[in-house]
Amino acid sequence: MNADLRIDGARLLASIEALGEYGALPGGGTNRLALSDADRAARDWTVAQMRALDMAVEIDAIGNVFATYAGTQELPPVATGSHIDTVRTGGLYDGNYGVLAGLEVVATLRAAGRRTRRPLQVAFFTNEEGARFQPDMLGSLVHVGGMPLDEALAVRAVDNGALLGEELARIGYAGRAPVGRPRVDSFVELHIEQGPVLDREGIAIGVVEGVQGICWTELTFTGRSNHAGTTPMALRQDAGMAAARVAAFAHELSQRHGGRQLATVGALTLQPNLVNVIAQSALMTVDLRNTDGARLRQAQDELLAGARRIAAEHGVLLSQRLLADFAPVAFDAALVDSVERAARSQGLSTLRLPSGAGHDAQMLARVCPTAMVFVPSRDGLSHNVREFTAPEQLVQGANVLLQVLLERADR
């Protein structure tokens, strides 16, 4: 380990605050949806920081940004990074921390006059959150060849129906670099946990062994609108009741499967959405997650079978659309060990755990050795304006990242 090198904590914290100004919400937190005007401003600011560090910046056809700090030899780079888009009520750290910590590593090396054998690359990926365009992690998925570029560019925004490709061009980030053929030695992503485990157990560093599988399904029930006071219960075609029963069914399914099976109904919209009118239609989403791919597939099959049965019982039509389907990912064992070794060499407590949230790292794992480093999230809050990680914990995570990248890039 290069024990003589440490990142500049004050500089890192200042950069996180500065990036948080783009899309800042009045009461705190950030609203910086992918390819919005706020995202464009944040991209411009981040690219300026990259160029100020003498990094070569490249933008690909899906808007992913890669900044490379040259090594002493022309070899595939050791990469790090994350994303800078947020949900509508995001905090300062989700994604942003990993990108800015990567730049802080480069700033530390540059100040010390140090070059690694392999180049270091810091990336931020388009639309990781999936809050405006679906699926989530779209940019990194296209980057590794998991989704055709034309298909991704034709995705429509959920807020205003704009095409992703048109929005990329509008904000000036429709790059020319090709996608689908990444040339990278390895990828290490630093991130807040976004869950309560590290904070609850008083652990400094999470050594992430993999990412659980994710399956998003959109269900649409179509019944018949009618008067709430004159239509007998037995004669209704109530789309709202069908959706409510499926929501309860998803919850019961997760309890029955137990273990790491999760189920969430995060969106539910009724039409005409009036107090005294039976709902004619109901659109809902179901988010299923599990670290076990076979169990996740079984849960998805049971959910769809249950939805079809419930729709039939209420005399409503059902249509379904798969929004995202990502299998569980196991990270590279040697790189995971490197994270643990780097943390312990700095006297930091560690815990091996899976990631409950999806990350760009799970896409990079398709093409190169990959690992993640977690730092605690206070009370497990994320996708929330009160998202918080203590300054000393942010600095600790960045110093672990520094050592992991140095070990990997100097080999």
Side-chain angles (χ1 to χ4, degrees), residues 1-2 4-5 69-72 105-106 108-117 120 403 406-407 409-410:
M1 294 293 171
N2 297 266
D4 57 314
L5 283 177
Y69 186 67
T72 60
V105 167
V106 172
T108 299
L109 295 179
R110 184 171 177 268
R114 178 93 150 73
R115 294 275 179 179
T116 52
R117 181 170 180 264
L120 287 177
Q403 297 301 329
L406 285 175
E407 180 180 270
D410 275 335

Side-chain angles (χ1 to χ4, degrees), residues 274-292:
L274 298 172
V275 66
N276 60 348
V277 180
I278 298 165
Q280 177 170 315
S281 69
L283 184 148
M284 67 187 300
T285 60
V286 184
D287 176 323
L288 297 178
R289 305 190 187 212
N290 202 317
T291 54
D292 185 314

Side-chain angles (χ1 to χ4, degrees), residues 7-18 96-97 99-104 190 391 394-399:
I7 64 105
D8 184 328
R11 185 169 57 197
L12 171 63
L13 299 173
S15 69
I16 292 172
E17 292 291 333
N96 310 305
Y97 170 50
V99 176
L100 297 177
L103 293 180
E104 176 55 35
L190 174 62
L394 296 170
V395 173
Q396 288 171 349
N399 275 319

Side-chain angles (χ1 to χ4, degrees), residues 1 6 203-205 207 336-352 396 399-400 403-404:
M1 294 293 171
R6 288 287 187 274
I203 301 294
I205 298 295
V207 180
V336 170
D337 288 344
S338 177
V339 171
E340 189 169 60
R341 189 164 55 250
R344 290 182 175 177
S345 73
Q346 298 176 54
L348 301 173
S349 56
T350 63
L351 176 68
R352 291 191 174 224
Q396 288 171 349
N399 275 319
V400 170
Q403 297 301 329
V404 173

Side-chain angles (χ1 to χ4, degrees), residues 87-100:
V87 296
R88 289 188 183 277
T89 53
L92 296 182
Y93 311 108
D94 178 5
N96 310 305
Y97 170 50
V99 176
L100 297 177

